[in-house]
Amino acid sequence: MRNLMFKVAYDGSKYHGFQRQDNAWTVQEAIEDGLKTLLKEDVKIIGASRTDAGVHAKGQVFNLKVDTPIPVERFPLALNTKLPRDIIIIDTIDVDDDFHARYNSKDKVYSYQIYNNNIPSPFVRNYAYHIKRKLDLNKMREGASYLIGKYDFSSFRSAGCNAKTSIREIFSIDIEKSNNLIVIRIKGGGFLYKMVRIIMGTLIKVGLNKIDPKGVQKILLAKDRQQAGPTAPACGLFLEKIYY
């Protein structure tokens, strides 16, 4: 029996998140269906991150224990022929038997895209949040600086989050702009349910001068979800990379 680790990229627009659900089409179900066709047996994969409906991934990871002679270098090509075109296996490697995609992960990087122009673009509508008014990136960077470190992120924790603790650590938040596209990258040891999207919604309000940059620190210390900004739309969020 082999333990295989897969790196996968997907467009989450048509899926109700990564994790398999009873009454909704998910990325996990699509992958498991493809694996069943390829391997001629029922399989269950272990995903590293439960991305929400509409969220995309460039570096999602899952592992699978299976008895197969398929070489790792051929696995991506073979499995991709069995998957929808919006899900692509990037890489496959053999790992130790005790490797677990979720429990062994250490740090994660997410990015959030904003199309900042008064006229929307039809080409990024599924991959960026369109905001008409010009955002003040310097104020957003200042606001983001107050979130760097290890804190209680209860103010950025969505209802329905079942995490045992709301203590999390953010290592960096970088904000860049190219033409009309703003990309915000956030790296942390782990994130609460919809935490990244709530942070983005809050920073957007800072960029629109609706929240003072120093107000982000007050929101953080308040430990009150009602103090933070709205949850930003899922379309702009990408799971970039998972570190092990």
Side-chain angles (χ1 to χ4, degrees), residues 175-217:
I175 303 175
E176 301 176 349
K177 183 177 182 180
S178 178
N179 296 321
N180 295 316
L181 192 67
I182 298 169
V183 180
I184 305 173
R185 285 187 174 83
I186 178 169
K187 181 179 181 179
F191 299 93
L192 301 166
Y193 180 50
K194 295 187 178 179
M195 175 177 161
V196 176
R197 289 166 59 191
I198 297 171
I199 288 175
M200 296 304 136
T202 303
L203 293 179
I204 287 169
K205 292 193 74 172
V206 172
L208 293 172
N209 295 311
K210 294 182 178 180
I211 296 178
D212 185 83
K214 293 183 179 179
V216 176
Q217 184 179 45

Side-chain angles (χ1 to χ4, degrees), residues 29-43 64 79 82-83:
E29 185 175 358
I31 293 173
E32 288 177 348
D33 285 353
L35 283 165
K36 181 178 179 179
T37 302
L38 177 65
L39 302 173
K40 311 302 181 184
E41 62 176 290
D42 290 324
V43 296
L64 166 70
L79 182 51
K82 313 300 181 184
L83 296 176

Side-chain angles (χ1 to χ4, degrees), residues 128-178:
Y129 178 25
H130 175 226
I131 297 179
K132 295 180 180 180
R133 290 178 52 194
K134 185 177 180 179
L135 293 167
D136 189 324
L137 300 191
N138 288 328
K139 287 187 176 181
M140 292 175 69
R141 292 184 182 104
E142 181 184 349
S145 69
Y146 295 105
L147 300 176
I148 307 302
K150 191 173 185 179
Y151 300 106
D152 184 334
F153 281 91
S154 292
S155 293
F156 303 92
R157 174 177 181 159
S158 179
C161 178
N162 56 10
K164 294 181 179 179
T165 176
S166 54
I167 303 295
R168 294 291 185 273
E169 185 173 9
I170 293 179
F171 305 125
S172 63
I173 302 178
D174 299 314
I175 303 175
E176 301 176 349
K177 183 177 182 180
S178 178

Side-chain angles (χ1 to χ4, degrees), residues 25-86:
W25 182 236
T26 66
V27 176
Q28 180 177 354
E29 185 175 358
I31 293 173
E32 288 177 348
D33 285 353
L35 283 165
K36 181 178 179 179
T37 302
L38 177 65
L39 302 173
K40 311 302 181 184
E41 62 176 290
D42 290 324
V43 296
K44 185 175 182 180
I45 64 176
I46 300 172
S49 183
R50 302 174 181 179
T51 54
D52 297 332
V55 175
H56 317 291
K58 297 179 181 179
Q60 172 72 286
V61 174
F62 68 88
N63 73 289
L64 166 70
K65 291 191 176 183
V66 66
D67 187 10
T68 176
I70 301 176
V72 289
E73 64 271 15
R74 292 182 56 192
F75 224 118
L77 294 175
L79 182 51
N80 283 336
T81 65
K82 313 300 181 184
L83 296 176
R85 294 179 64 184
D86 50 11

